[in-house]
Amino acid sequence: MDLPVWFEIGTFVVLTLLLAVDLLLVTRRPHAPSMKEAAAWVTFYVSLAVLFGVAMLAAAGGQASGEFYAGWLTEYSLSVDNLFVFVIIMAQFKVPRKYQQSVLMFGILTAIVLRGIFILIGAVAINQFAWVFYIFGIFLVYTAVKLANQQVHEDEHEEQYENAVVRRARKMLPMTDDYHGIKLRTRVDGKRLYTPMMIVFVTIASADLLFAVDSIPAIFGLTQEAFIVFTANIFALMGLRQLYFLIGGLLERLVYLSAGLAVILAFIGVKLIMHALHENNLPFVNNGEGLHGVPEVPIWLSLTVIVGTLLVTTVASLLKSRHDQRRADAVTESEQSN
């Protein structure tokens, strides 16, 4: 991909300014946004991503634009799934609603840094070692199987989210019982103590690390251009804070989201393995020669599969939720009549 230098520099400048403004708004006026405010911001960021894809079309052609849209939609759908975990974290630690924006902003900035690191490592590894495609592909298929299994057993999101790092932090850090705004440390009776916000930040950061491990191989299965990988991730993360407040209730209605993500990740995983076979340089596979008879999956097909799967998943989820609600209402009416 041959993008003008001014386009890449301009993109990073604009994205940095947007994130700075978003951070400034959160720090200056921490509050729980209204549905109207959240909807306006989500619409703005989604429109911005769509317009950026059009700009990519003009600057680098249809292939680059298609790769961006496919990557952005995949990362965005994974980010929506990650919101379930954020909801659990907020509920588990009883984070006051007016401070939840600040926690989410920290989570988004941490995610950007971690994904940036993973993108650099992934890009270098792919350029130096073509066999990395095999690892990414197998990992994505494994992740898809796990998601499908969670969907079947309906245990996708546990009621609590706590890992070894959080449990250790709880034991080691002297801590207050109550929140003190968004402060991580405060002074009580002359003693310097940590607040529960420190544990919340540790939990969010560890969750971001797990999310990055899942998401970066997925987008590298759609494009190997580091610029597209990074910008697609940024656009997927921007507006996530407002989306949290906008669809908090809707998340519970997306009952087939794991199944949809399983299909998408399995498709990308198989696509990566096919690409690895096509570019093969492992000596014990076809004597180190590429299997050029293995077809390459075009980006238009990837985009079609991703968009189609998300549409089917969303419609099926909403229909299932509506059916379950009607059945629950019917049971309630029956019990009241008896």
Side-chain angles (χ1 to χ4, degrees):
M1 184 183 67
D2 187 19
L3 276 173
V5 176
W6 64 265
F7 183 85
E8 295 186 5
I9 294 175
T11 297
F12 287 125
V13 169
V14 171
L15 292 178
T16 301
L17 288 175
L18 284 172
L19 289 170
V21 170
D22 210 9
L23 179 61
L24 183 63
L25 289 174
V26 170
T27 54
R28 292 287 297 272
R29 194 168 67 94
H31 69 292
S34 65
M35 292 289 286
K36 183 178 180 180
E37 179 185 348
W41 277 105
V42 170
T43 301
F44 169 73
Y45 282 122
V46 169
S47 301
L48 202 62
V50 173
L51 290 174
F52 182 77
V54 174
M56 286 283 291
L57 176 64
Q63 177 72 16
S65 179
E67 289 179 359
F68 169 78
Y69 281 130
W72 170 61
L73 285 171
T74 300
E75 294 298 313
Y76 203 77
S77 58
L78 287 169
S79 296
V80 171
D81 187 55
N82 296 344
L83 283 181
F84 278 105
V85 176
F86 289 152
V87 169
I88 294 168
I89 291 172
M90 299 296 187
Q92 179 183 355
F93 295 105
K94 297 180 175 61
V95 179
R97 191 168 174 80
K98 65 179 180 179
Y99 301 132
Q100 289 180 7
Q101 279 213 88
S102 300
V103 174
L104 290 168
M105 195 66 206
F106 167 80
I108 290 169
L109 293 176
T110 304
I112 290 173
V113 173
L114 289 174
R115 294 187 187 199
I117 294 171
F118 275 92
I119 289 168
L120 289 175
I121 294 173
V124 171
I126 285 172
N127 288 333
Q128 296 296 322
F129 311 104
W131 50 262
V132 171
F133 286 115
Y134 287 110
I135 297 176
F136 280 3
I138 294 170
F139 176 76
L140 289 179
V141 172
Y142 168 74
T143 304
V145 172
K146 281 205 320 180
L147 284 173
N149 184 60
Q150 289 171 351
Q151 181 72 63
V152 170
H153 294 93
E154 298 184 351
D155 61 351
E156 174 190 3
H157 302 289
E158 300 176 358
E159 293 184 358
Q160 292 193 346
Y161 180 90
E162 188 167 297
N163 56 30
V165 175
V166 176
R167 289 194 294 271
R168 188 170 182 82
R170 278 183 180 275
K171 294 178 181 178
M172 294 180 60
L173 302 178
M175 191 164 300
T176 65
D177 294 327
D178 302 319
Y179 288 92
H180 293 257
I182 60 172
K183 292 181 179 179
L184 303 183
R185 296 188 70 183
T186 189
R187 189 178 294 276
V188 178
D189 297 331
K191 295 181 179 179
R192 297 288 292 178
L193 301 175
Y194 290 94
T195 73
M197 192 63 76
M198 171 60 79
I199 298 296
V200 174
F201 276 19
V202 170
T203 308
I204 291 286
S206 59
D208 279 334
L209 180 61
L210 295 177
F211 298 158
V213 171
D214 283 341
S215 66
I216 298 307
I219 192 169
F220 268 118
L222 297 166
T223 178
Q224 284 80 61
E225 294 291 343
F227 176 79
I228 295 179
V229 172
F230 190 72
T231 52
N233 269 275
I234 295 293
F235 278 106
L237 291 170
M238 287 196 308
L240 194 62
R241 173 172 59 84
Q242 293 87 352
L243 189 65
Y244 170 89
F245 293 96
L246 180 64
I247 67 171
L250 180 61
L251 285 174
E252 297 178 358
R253 299 173 63 188
L254 297 178
V255 293
Y256 294 130
L257 182 59
S258 284
L261 289 175
V263 171
I264 291 172
L265 293 182
F267 170 79
I268 297 174
V270 172
K271 177 179 182 292
L272 264 178
I273 294 172
M274 291 172 65
H275 180 72
L277 290 170
H278 193 271
E279 302 293 329
N280 175 66
N281 58 5
L282 292 178
F284 52 84
V285 177
N286 197 37
N287 296 320
E289 298 294 329
L291 297 170
H292 300 296
V294 177
E296 290 274 25
V297 179
I299 193 61
W300 66 263
L301 180 57
S302 299
L303 194 54
T304 301
V305 170
I306 292 167
V307 173
T309 302
L310 291 177
L311 285 175
V312 171
T313 298
T314 303
V315 172
S317 294
L318 296 179
L319 289 175
K320 174 71 162 54
S321 297
R322 181 182 298 178
H323 173 72
D324 291 345
Q325 185 61 48
R326 286 177 177 173
R327 186 161 54 181
D329 292 342
V331 172
T332 302
E333 290 178 5
S334 177
E335 290 176 348
Q336 289 175 348
S337 62
N338 293 333

